[in-house]
Amino acid sequence: MHDKVLLSVKLPATGGLYEFRVPFDLTVDQASRLISQVLGRREPSRYEPSDAVDLMLLDDGGAGGQLNPNETVRALVEQGTLVDGSHVALV
């Protein structure tokens, strides 16, 4: 799919991994809030969605670093920070 990146998102609250196709034109903040809302609907008994969430890299080379919430997903893909299959955590 063009203009989207496939992310493997870990939700520490449940220990689960979920895959999301994220549009390039969203900011990291918008993407993390959207993912939080979707996961809140999927895991309502174990996760309460929040607007105060961030995405943190889990892959080597950037593990533990939070993504800039103001950066677009497109910019991170162009920099090579995010690629299809990148592992991130919703924190």
Side-chain angles (χ1 to χ4, degrees):
M1 298 191 128
H2 298 292
D3 292 341
K4 293 183 182 175
V5 65
L6 179 66
L7 299 180
S8 180
V9 180
K10 182 172 185 169
L11 183 59
T14 65
L17 285 174
Y18 307 86
E19 289 190 339
F20 288 89
R21 285 210 180 271
V22 179
F24 282 3
D25 293 328
L26 293 180
T27 64
V28 169
D29 182 58
Q30 292 168 325
S32 61
R33 286 186 284 139
L34 179 61
I35 291 167
S36 176
Q37 293 299 318
V38 171
L39 290 176
R41 287 187 202 109
R42 181 167 170 88
E43 300 285 351
S45 64
R46 300 183 342 168
Y47 178 72
E48 185 173 329
S50 171
D51 286 342
V53 291
D54 292 305
L55 292 177
M56 180 178 69
L57 285 173
L58 296 177
D59 292 327
D60 292 338
Q66 285 188 322
L67 297 174
N68 180 345
N70 300 315
E71 193 76 70
T72 64
V73 171
R74 180 181 307 278
L76 294 172
V77 168
E78 289 172 354
Q79 296 168 13
T81 303
L82 294 177
V83 297
D84 278 337
S86 287
H87 291 85
V88 296
L90 189 67
V91 293

